[in-house]
């Protein structure tokens, strides 16, 4: 069950749905304008968010920002009759989706060819069980590296950060509220034969993220995390990246040293992350 949550005075968000891969959608409410963050995985998803805002008497969005090109963040765009902003790279990647057909057969064919991944194919079929009228609407405004939007009393910094999940990822820093909307940037690269993290991209990304002073961090497929939860995640990623480099991707050595550093066995999340770094190291060698 999706709910609309108020995190701070000027920031609301709708909770994610894992089955259909619906990410968190955000609304930053300024004195003059409202900025929506991400368009959702379908027109239904976007419309539902707008309905929830209306029910809570929140000023409707004037502008929407897209954090990266993945389907679950952009398929809702046609339902929004407002200008949209993205990085120039995101727009280029969205243009590549224009010729695609979204029938079961065509999606399955793209999975076979390695263009689409099984996980997304399944989620698309669940989100659009019958009328799969998917349209790709391109962003109105694009930027390189950085852009600031003044909403009246609250400012949003859109910053390109890249990372393994996808190179076009941006974050949205809501300055006055001290919220960093990470979207998916800290997740692994899933559009590859094996999910992976690479050492350099991870360390570069972490370097950029620590420069933002925030109390809350939005992970689009998880939740609004506290600073402490964010630090637990980033410390783990940083440790694995450093050890992967040191032990040249040797899974057993990395695991042994990691256990020493944390003084316990690895948990499930850490095991998975370690595997992704090992996959990424082997990829670097190819
Ligand atoms: Zn994504």
């Amino acid at each position: 069950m999706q709910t609309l949550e108020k995190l701070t005075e000027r920031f609301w968000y709708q909770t994610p749905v894992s089955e259909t891969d619906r990410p968190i959608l955000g609304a930053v409410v300024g004195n003059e304008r409202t900025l929506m963050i991400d368009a959702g995985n379908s027109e239904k998803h976007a419309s539902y968010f707008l309905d929830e805002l209306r029910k809570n008497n929140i000023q409707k969005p004037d502008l929407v920002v897209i954090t990266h090109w993945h389907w679950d963040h952009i398929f809702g765009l046609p339902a929004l009759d407002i200008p949209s902003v993205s990085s120039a790279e995101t727009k280029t990647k969205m243009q590549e989706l224009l010729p695609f057909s979204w029938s079961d057969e065509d999606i399955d064919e793209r999975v076979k060819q390695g263009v689409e991944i099984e996980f997304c194919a399944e989620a698309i079929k669940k989100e659009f069980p019958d009328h799969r009228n998917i349209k790709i609407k391109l962003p109105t405004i694009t930027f390189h590296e950085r852009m600031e939007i003044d909403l009246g009393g609250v400012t949003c910094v859109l910053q390109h950060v890249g990372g393994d999940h996808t190179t076009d990822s941006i974050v949205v820093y809501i300055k006055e509220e001290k919220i960093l909307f990470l979207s998916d940037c800290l997740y692994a690269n899933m559009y590859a034969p094996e999910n992976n993290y690479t050492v350099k991209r991870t360390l570069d990304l972490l370097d950029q993220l620590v420069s933002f002073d925030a109390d809350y961090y939005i992970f689009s497929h998880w939740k609004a995390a506290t600073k402490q939860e964010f630090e637990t995640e980033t410390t783990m990623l940083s440790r694995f990246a450093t050890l992967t480099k040191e032990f040249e991707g040797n899974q057993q050595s990395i695991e042994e040293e990691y256990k020493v550093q944390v003084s316990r066995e690895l948990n499930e999340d850490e095991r998975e992350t370690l595997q992704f770094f090992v996959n990424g190291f082997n990829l670097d060698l190819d």
Side-chain angles (χ1 to χ4, degrees), residues 158-223:
L158 319 183
Q159 175 73 52
H160 173 253
V161 293
D164 281 304
H165 185 68
T166 170
T167 54
D168 63 314
S169 277
I170 67 159
V171 292
V172 181
Y173 180 52
I174 310 157
K175 264 190 202 172
E176 291 79 0
E177 307 295 279
K178 294 182 84 175
I179 296 170
L180 188 62
F181 198 105
L182 296 165
S183 186
D184 292 354
C185 78
L186 276 172
Y187 299 134
N189 175 11
M190 295 160 74
Y191 281 84
E194 291 176 317
N195 291 358
N196 67 82
Y197 280 116
T198 59
V199 172
K200 189 178 178 313
R201 279 197 179 143
T202 301
L203 294 177
D204 281 353
L205 175 62
L206 295 177
D207 258 1
Q208 296 181 75
L209 296 182
V210 293
S211 68
F212 297 98
D213 176 28
D215 295 330
Y216 294 103
Y217 297 80
I218 314 298
F219 289 77
S220 286
H221 294 279
W222 185 31
K223 64 173 185 173

